Amino acid sequence: MTSFIQDFEKIPHLNIEGLYRDLGTVMVVAPHPDDESLGCGGIIAHLREQNAEVWVLFMTNGEASHQNSVTYPPKKLGSLRTREAEAACQILGVPKDHLLFLNAGDGKLKSYLQANSSILHKLTKLFQQKEIDTLFVPWRRDHHIDHLATSSLVRKAAGGLGLIIVEYPIWLWKKGTPEDWPKQNEILPFKLAIDSVKDKKHKAIMAHSSQTSTLIEDDPEGFILTEELLAPFLGNCEYFFFPSENKSAVTKTYFDELYAKDIDPWDFEKSAYEQEKYKNTLHAISQRKIKKALEIGCANGVFTALFAPHCKELIALELNESALENARKRCSQFSQCEFLQWDIAGGLPEGDFDAILLSEVGYYFQKDILHQIFKNIDRVLLPGGVFIMVHWTAYVRNYPLTGLQVHEIFEKNHSGTFKKVENQRYELYELVVWEKTEK
């Protein structure tokens, strides 16, 4: 396949615990009954276990899967597949009153693509009425005519509503051509671990018995999900393609509102994630003697207090004033620390630093500003000094970049003057240490 997705092991994970927060109210749009379980069964089950609101919209009843059957003519088969969809969604935790059936006609969705079609108006109204935040739709080049039409219909209907549209592959796995796979910068791929809900997903898939068994015996040419076709959907992960278009930078107001509600909004003090990250970050620099360090984004100083003993001098920057004041108090015993309220989008403090830490900050900026920040880091860091980057790699709705994008941007533009000395990828974050080469 001619795709930038070459190594599926390197695709970043979605954060299971934060799915409901990152996705909001979800609608899974399925061209036919069974697509919801195959492509999204795991994420639906996870979301429902978190009591998130999930709607499932079936574009067709799938009545054309066995066109030669006498015992199951289209109307009867459509009714059967509707009941199968209800049973599958019940297994996944979606109540019947959150299932919607458009009855648009199996194999006929393309005919609704013209402007002002009734289906387009109906979809737009549904998205607004149900107050949807995130839509899951088939991949835009998913081979099947109804999958392609569903993707186009949803995009047209959702235009201007500001919804997140996430794509899931079905036919791409087995019938996609090299040209069908995502191209560089076209999407942001993520995977979701579904080990804990895999049994639910499997049962939901098998609830579509008209598609997974020989229930319909009088149509040997009818569609059936063979063992080979099912294989991509029975593993430990589901794969999703998130939009890659630019989003606005995170503003100071965003942080002011967060800290006004909670002085430790990310649970820096007690979070197991934070504690592990602190330990691994310190380990990466523990063998170095640091004379003058710069910590960009010190928040309330939890990590600063751990970092300070490794530095003869440490300048810590933070945008939010209340967080900075808490950092000063927390680190009052460290005379080597200086705390500055600072917006790094406007530049960096002057000084010959031999260590600079950028942790959980880079993804708040748009690419052009991040490029300038990296140039400034290069300028104030001494040859032989280290630049440590640590960033969350899961999807966050409000951030213009992902952690991996931040790291990729630096590597693409600065690997000529820096050498990578350490790169650790964990489930939800990546730690990279660069050393500036001698000039």
Side-chain angles (χ1 to χ4, degrees):
M1 58 183 158
T2 56
S3 168
F4 76 102
I5 304 176
Q6 300 295 336
D7 188 346
F8 281 80
E9 289 300 314
K10 291 184 178 180
I11 293 176
H13 282 267
L14 291 171
N15 175 31
I16 294 174
E17 293 181 0
L19 284 175
Y20 69 96
R21 179 190 64 237
D22 293 330
L23 301 178
T25 299
V26 165
M27 180 177 283
V28 174
V29 184
H32 316 97
D34 75 7
D35 290 319
E36 84 297 334
S37 298
L38 293 168
C40 302
I43 200 165
I44 292 172
H46 274 311
L47 285 166
R48 289 302 301 138
E49 287 184 355
Q50 298 172 10
N51 293 318
E53 187 171 8
V54 178
W55 294 84
V56 182
L57 170 64
F58 297 94
M59 299 293 289
T60 79
N61 293 343
E63 67 274 9
S65 68
H66 291 73
Q67 298 185 50
N68 300 316
S69 175
V70 175
T71 56
Y72 284 92
K75 186 175 181 180
K76 182 178 178 181
L77 179 55
S79 296
L80 171 62
R81 295 197 67 183
T82 297
R83 294 195 299 273
E84 291 174 346
E86 291 171 351
C89 288
Q90 184 177 21
I91 291 168
L92 297 174
V94 183
K96 189 174 179 179
D97 63 1
H98 274 57
L99 306 183
L100 303 166
F101 296 88
L102 285 190
N103 308 312
D106 193 357
K108 301 176 182 178
L109 293 180
K110 188 177 179 181
S111 64
Y112 293 99
L113 283 171
Q114 70 271 21
N116 299 316
S117 75
S118 60
I119 289 294
L120 282 172
H121 288 299
K122 189 176 289 188
L123 288 173
T124 301
K125 190 174 181 180
L126 280 174
F127 301 157
Q128 292 174 317
Q129 286 180 339
K130 307 305 182 186
E131 299 182 337
I132 303 302
D133 296 303
T134 304
L135 289 162
F136 283 78
V137 302
W139 166 236
R140 68 192 71 174
R141 294 190 292 276
D142 206 39
H143 185 76
H144 191 288
I145 186 171
D146 279 341
H147 289 223
L148 302 177
T150 296
S151 177
S152 295
L153 284 166
V154 170
R155 288 181 184 282
K156 285 187 176 183
L161 298 182
L163 309 184
I164 301 295
I165 299 179
V166 181
E167 300 169 86
Y168 61 90
I170 298 289
W171 289 105
L172 180 66
W173 295 114
K174 291 297 183 180
K175 294 196 174 184
T177 66
E179 290 72 30
D180 292 332
W181 284 81
K183 308 302 187 294
Q184 188 74 41
N185 299 323
E186 187 175 20
I187 52 91
L188 296 173
F190 287 92
K191 62 187 175 186
L192 176 71
I194 62 168
D195 311 58
S196 64
V197 295
K198 189 165 67 170
D199 186 54
K200 285 184 181 180
K201 176 174 179 171
H202 184 260
K203 288 179 179 177
I205 291 172
M206 300 314 292
H208 295 278
S209 55
S210 65
Q211 310 300 297
T212 58
S213 73
T214 56
L215 173 70
I216 303 175
E217 298 177 333
D218 62 343
D219 186 1
E221 295 181 5
F223 177 76
I224 189 168
L225 284 163
T226 63
E227 185 177 338
E228 180 185 4
L229 289 176
L230 282 172
F233 310 105
L234 301 180
N236 292 323
C237 289
E238 286 180 344
Y239 295 86
F240 301 100
F241 304 150
F242 279 69
S244 62
E245 61 262 21
N246 289 335
K247 290 182 281 187
S248 299
V250 177
T251 64
K252 182 178 183 297
T253 302
Y254 172 81
F255 298 105
D256 290 344
E257 291 176 352
L258 275 177
Y259 282 110
K261 294 176 183 177
D262 184 352
I263 197 57
D264 192 4
W266 287 280
D267 195 18
F268 293 121
E269 292 193 34
K270 298 179 181 178
S271 162
Y273 164 80
E274 296 292 345
Q275 300 307 312
E276 178 193 297
K277 186 182 66 178
Y278 298 157
K279 181 184 72 173
N280 290 327
T281 303
L282 289 173
H283 183 266
I285 58 174
S286 60
Q287 302 304 313
R288 293 181 177 269
K289 294 180 179 179
I290 300 172
K291 293 180 180 178
K292 187 175 183 180
L294 179 67
E295 182 186 6
I296 299 174
C298 68
N300 54 15
V302 175
F303 182 75
T304 313
L306 301 173
F307 189 30
H310 297 266
C311 311
K312 286 189 175 180
E313 184 179 351
L314 173 58
I315 297 177
L317 309 181
E318 174 54 45
L319 186 61
N320 179 265
E321 188 174 358
S322 61
L324 191 68
E325 184 57 33
N326 274 272
R328 285 194 184 99
K329 292 176 181 177
R330 187 185 303 275
C331 300
S332 59
Q333 73 273 33
F334 299 112
S335 59
Q336 69 268 45
C337 291
E338 180 182 1
F339 293 89
L340 302 175
Q341 186 176 10
W342 200 281
D343 183 356
I344 64 169
L348 291 175
E350 294 299 324
D352 294 329
F353 298 100
D354 57 354
I356 297 177
L357 173 66
L358 184 76
S359 180
E360 312 285 23
V361 173
Y363 40 56
Y364 296 134
F365 302 94
Q366 291 181 312
K367 290 181 181 180
D368 57 340
I369 299 299
L370 187 63
H371 279 300
Q372 188 57 51
I373 290 169
F374 285 151
K375 287 180 181 178
N376 291 334
I377 287 171
D378 189 354
R379 180 175 54 82
V380 301
L381 184 66
L382 291 170
V386 290
F387 175 39
I388 308 106
M389 288 193 291
V390 192
H391 285 90
W392 177 262
T393 54
Y395 173 78
V396 182
R397 169 188 295 273
N398 296 322
Y399 298 172
L401 297 172
T402 68
L404 288 185
Q405 284 180 300
V406 172
H407 294 183
E408 288 164 1
I409 288 170
F410 183 82
E411 182 163 8
K412 180 179 179 180
N413 293 280
H414 296 273
S415 56
T417 54
F418 285 78
K419 66 176 181 180
K420 190 185 295 184
V421 295
E422 186 165 349
N423 191 174
Q424 299 293 332
R425 176 77 68 84
Y426 302 91
E427 183 173 337
L428 292 174
Y429 69 99
E430 183 178 59
L431 187 157
V432 188
V433 181
W434 292 91
E435 183 177 292
K436 188 173 178 179
T437 55
E438 300 286 341
K439 290 186 178 179

